[in-house]
Amino acid sequence: MTPRPAGLLGLLAVLAAVAAPASALRLSEGTNLSAHVSPADGHIAMDLLGSLWLLPPQGGEAERIGRPGLLVERPRWSPDGRSILLQADAGRGAELWHVDVESRRFSKLSPDGATEQHAIWHPSGTRILYATARDGSGLDLWERDLETGLRWRLTDHAGDESAPAWSADGRHLVYVLQQDDRWYLMLRRFAQPPRALVESDAPLLAPAWRPDNTLVTYLGQDADGSLSLRMLILSDPPLERVLADGEDFFAAPLTWIDRSRFVYTADGVIKARRFEDRSARVLPFSASVELPRQRAAADFRPRPLPLAPAGGGELVIRAARVYDGESARYRRNVDILIDAGRITAIDTQRDRGDTTVIDIGNTTVLPGLIDTYAGLPVADARSHALLLAFGVTTLVTPDLPAGDERAAAADMRTPAPRVLLAAAAGDAPGDGERPQVRLVTATADAANGSDEWSALSAWRQRGVPVLADSWAGGLKNGADMLLGTVSLPTSPAGRHYADVAGLTQGGPLLLVSGLADAATPGLSDLLDGAPAGLLPARHTARRRFVVRPRLDGGDSAVVVGSRSSGLPPGIATQAELLALGAAGLAPHEALHAATGAAAAALGLQDELGRIRPGARADLLLVAGDPLARLADASQVVALVLEGRFFSVSGLLEQLAASVE
């Protein structure tokens, strides 16, 4: 979903007008469904809108088994059919959960702070196998005994191992290895070393064994980006064949019922097919979900920044290149005139008399970066200096206690980023309270509580955007911003099926990025740079995604939000820019997500995020050319904050002196 910068304000206008009635929506389609058939009695478990649903063996009415605040995917029945293994996200990244089907009880299996995914049962039913990065390197496959809790590593390649599948007898294992931009389908037979069965320069996904161990099915990405269902006959040498194509296959393993029949998900539905057939039949389902309540349109009109008045005297920044927060090209060789903390003009370069002119030569000037959902574990001089050194001049965070003065005003005598508080949905504004720049974090089931819904609606009517902490809760609650571009249900073919289309009423989506992880290209350079060296400890990112996310299509916009990565403030924001570039955005689109687009999402497009007359003078001077090389955006040599000039070297020297 490639964001189009010029369209964000129009997108916000459409969001303000979308108001769905409070009624039930009957769904017979889902986006990116994963379905698994119980080996005990044929019942089907599927994930739909972040919840677990159970179906009769031939389809029919779906029963929802939900847990508030938990985004569920990839259900897998235990061999005895009594429980289900899930991958789920409660805002901490992928974790493993266990569901007792009879009692409907959810139990978390993953240790706190661990990211574990792609879990399957061993055919014995006593152990599970999953992918995790326990030592900070790539993903490896680990096995866990459920009774004792003991864990051990099964694979240790230099790359990332994921998507494991046991043979029916539990003796042989296939899995996917991604290493050096190559993909391998690996086989490890009992008591033998692993070997590659298939090698590809495109993703290989979701392997599954036929019960007689004669072949393995998997999904492969074709040249046009679509997926096809392939099979590998385990002869010597192995023979690869296309089993089915021309469908919008979802990236989930199929379930073999026996050596002839299998069930899979594609085209928004669950399908059943015989191996020898050329077509499949649909296993229909009907699931009832609640539409968002009727809501008043949000007031997204621009409003003044509710912080200390801008300050500073006359100043001119002489720029070789200017990225203005909107355009795809630079303005070149101009002067940016500043007075009283605001930009007064952008003019051709000429003699300015007695006015102070700052000319650092061949640098690029950008608007200060805006992080719409950031972490701030320690709000002190160190975190402030590091945020500024990485170009973050405004951030929104839930990590400050309510009433903290930093969330309401900025003392610009000492340089600090502008910090705005993300408040909980239940905190309703007072009768006389002026509109504030705050994000409200909506819980997954906020629409079910009248008090929470009233508070949420009151904030929206005052022009405060509502951020949902999951796409499932966000769609149900009609939130303005959805956290997590990765979890957004868009099929491999870029389609939204009836679940998404019904809950958005066909409207667009505004996404908060949350894309960076340990595999983000260029992250190691950020962590090795001079500003990061002043952190009290070496930091590493979590390995959160098996497949690098891709953003394509034109029906959504994205803004930068870095809290999901767990990286230190500042580094996290720059890592999001790199992740957006790796996900397919052009450099100007990634920069727009942290400048003009982010300001517009907060209703501050007249104040921040753009270099134009009237805007606050928050500017970055960076070495290099960020529109040609996005990583250059982190090479901040100086900044202007509310019209006051600071060199990054000076900030870091002060910080280093305070640390010693």
Side-chain angles (χ1 to χ4, degrees), residues 304-574:
L305 192 64
L307 294 176
E314 288 187 290
L315 179 67
V316 174
I317 301 297
R318 182 150 291 171
R321 296 173 297 275
V322 174
Y323 169 73
D324 62 7
E326 300 177 279
S327 306
R329 297 179 177 86
Y330 292 127
R331 294 186 66 173
R332 296 181 182 274
N333 301 318
V334 296
D335 286 344
I336 303 171
L337 280 62
I338 299 168
D339 189 18
R342 292 188 181 272
I343 298 171
T344 59
I346 302 173
D347 198 1
T348 56
Q349 294 181 1
R350 60 182 175 83
D351 180 68
R352 298 293 171 181
D354 294 334
T355 304
T356 300
V357 176
I358 296 178
D359 184 353
I360 308 185
N362 188 27
T363 57
T364 302
V365 179
L366 316 173
L369 302 183
I370 303 168
D371 196 321
T372 61
Y373 196 56
L376 192 63
V378 180
D380 59 10
R382 176 176 298 183
S383 63
H384 288 162
L386 289 174
L387 280 161
L388 294 175
F390 282 106
V392 181
T393 56
T394 302
L395 60 88
V396 185
T397 179
D399 296 329
L400 290 175
D404 191 308
E405 292 182 356
R406 284 183 298 262
D411 180 3
M412 299 310 297
R413 290 173 296 180
T414 57
R418 191 176 292 107
V419 181
L420 309 174
L421 179 64
D427 296 338
D431 292 338
E433 189 172 356
R434 295 174 59 190
Q436 296 186 32
V437 182
R438 301 170 72 186
L439 258 63
V440 180
T441 303
T443 62
D445 290 331
N448 295 327
S450 58
D451 291 341
E452 287 181 309
W453 177 259
S454 297
L456 186 151
S457 298
W459 281 116
R460 293 190 77 256
Q461 291 179 53
R462 290 177 181 241
V464 179
V466 174
L467 168 69
D469 47 16
S470 75
W471 61 260
L475 290 179
K476 288 186 290 185
N477 292 312
D480 308 300
M481 306 168 70
L482 305 180
L483 180 62
T485 50
V486 176
S487 60
L488 180 77
T490 301
S491 78
R495 300 173 190 166
H496 293 162
Y497 289 90
D499 53 345
V500 179
L503 290 179
T504 62
Q505 300 293 288
L509 299 165
L510 177 58
L511 310 174
V512 179
S513 58
L515 290 174
D517 81 337
T520 298
L523 178 60
S524 60
D525 293 335
L526 284 175
L527 294 172
D528 291 337
L534 294 172
L535 291 168
R538 168 76 181 186
H539 285 260
T540 58
R542 292 178 296 165
R543 187 70 168 91
R544 301 164 58 213
F545 311 120
V546 171
V547 179
R548 183 180 299 165
R550 297 291 301 175
L551 301 181
D552 47 31
D555 58 353
S556 301
V558 63
V559 296
V560 163
S562 68
R563 193 166 186 261
S564 303
S565 70
L567 287 163
I571 292 176
T573 308
Q574 289 286 349

Side-chain angles (χ1 to χ4, degrees), residues 9 92-93 113 116 119 135 246 257 265 271 286 299 304 359-360 402 409 425 476 478 531 565 567 613 652:
L9 296 179
R92 299 176 295 268
E116 299 177 339
D135 57 2
I257 308 302
T265 53
K271 298 185 178 185
S286 179
D299 181 5
D359 184 353
I360 308 185
K476 288 186 290 185
S565 70
L567 287 163
L652 295 182

Side-chain angles (χ1 to χ4, degrees), residues 154-448:
L154 287 191
T155 66
D156 191 16
H157 297 282
D160 292 317
E161 300 97 86
S162 63
W166 284 112
S167 61
D169 57 11
R171 292 172 58 83
H172 313 303
L173 180 69
V174 293
Y175 56 93
V176 173
L177 169 64
Q178 182 186 6
Q179 184 174 340
D180 299 328
D181 294 324
R182 302 288 293 174
W183 298 75
Y184 304 86
L185 183 64
M186 304 294 296
L187 169 65
R188 197 187 78 168
R189 290 195 179 275
F190 181 73
Q192 295 182 21
R195 66 186 182 97
L197 297 174
V198 178
E199 179 180 356
S200 174
D201 59 1
L204 305 174
L205 308 166
W209 286 86
R210 192 160 81 164
D212 61 5
N213 294 352
T214 60
L215 62 84
V216 171
T217 56
Y218 63 97
L219 295 169
Q221 189 178 83
D222 298 324
D224 62 358
S226 64
L227 298 178
S228 58
L229 179 60
R230 306 174 189 179
M231 63 178 178
L232 192 71
I233 301 171
L234 298 179
S235 56
D236 190 14
L239 298 176
E240 183 182 17
R241 297 288 186 271
V242 174
L243 183 57
D245 58 9
E247 302 175 64
D248 187 9
F249 289 100
F250 297 165
L254 57 79
T255 304
W256 284 93
I257 308 302
D258 52 39
R259 70 181 308 274
S260 177
R261 298 177 296 157
F262 58 90
V263 170
Y264 64 101
T265 53
D267 299 328
V269 295
I270 304 171
K271 298 185 178 185
R273 178 174 162 175
R274 290 185 176 273
F275 183 73
E276 61 272 14
D277 292 343
R278 293 189 176 182
S279 61
R281 62 185 178 90
V282 173
L283 297 178
F285 66 84
S286 179
S288 178
V289 299
E290 186 176 279
L291 279 171
R293 302 184 185 192
Q294 184 72 34
R295 69 183 189 183
D299 181 5
F300 283 116
R301 290 176 298 177
R303 55 191 183 275
L305 192 64
L307 294 176
E314 288 187 290
L315 179 67
V316 174
I317 301 297
R318 182 150 291 171
R321 296 173 297 275
V322 174
Y323 169 73
D324 62 7
E326 300 177 279
S327 306
R329 297 179 177 86
Y330 292 127
R331 294 186 66 173
R332 296 181 182 274
N333 301 318
V334 296
D335 286 344
I336 303 171
L337 280 62
I338 299 168
D339 189 18
R342 292 188 181 272
I343 298 171
T344 59
I346 302 173
D347 198 1
T348 56
Q349 294 181 1
R350 60 182 175 83
D351 180 68
R352 298 293 171 181
D354 294 334
T355 304
T356 300
V357 176
I358 296 178
D359 184 353
I360 308 185
N362 188 27
T363 57
T364 302
V365 179
L366 316 173
L369 302 183
I370 303 168
D371 196 321
T372 61
Y373 196 56
L376 192 63
V378 180
D380 59 10
R382 176 176 298 183
S383 63
H384 288 162
L386 289 174
L387 280 161
L388 294 175
F390 282 106
V392 181
T393 56
T394 302
L395 60 88
V396 185
T397 179
D399 296 329
L400 290 175
D404 191 308
E405 292 182 356
R406 284 183 298 262
D411 180 3
M412 299 310 297
R413 290 173 296 180
T414 57
R418 191 176 292 107
V419 181
L420 309 174
L421 179 64
D427 296 338
D431 292 338
E433 189 172 356
R434 295 174 59 190
Q436 296 186 32
V437 182
R438 301 170 72 186
L439 258 63
V440 180
T441 303
T443 62
D445 290 331
N448 295 327

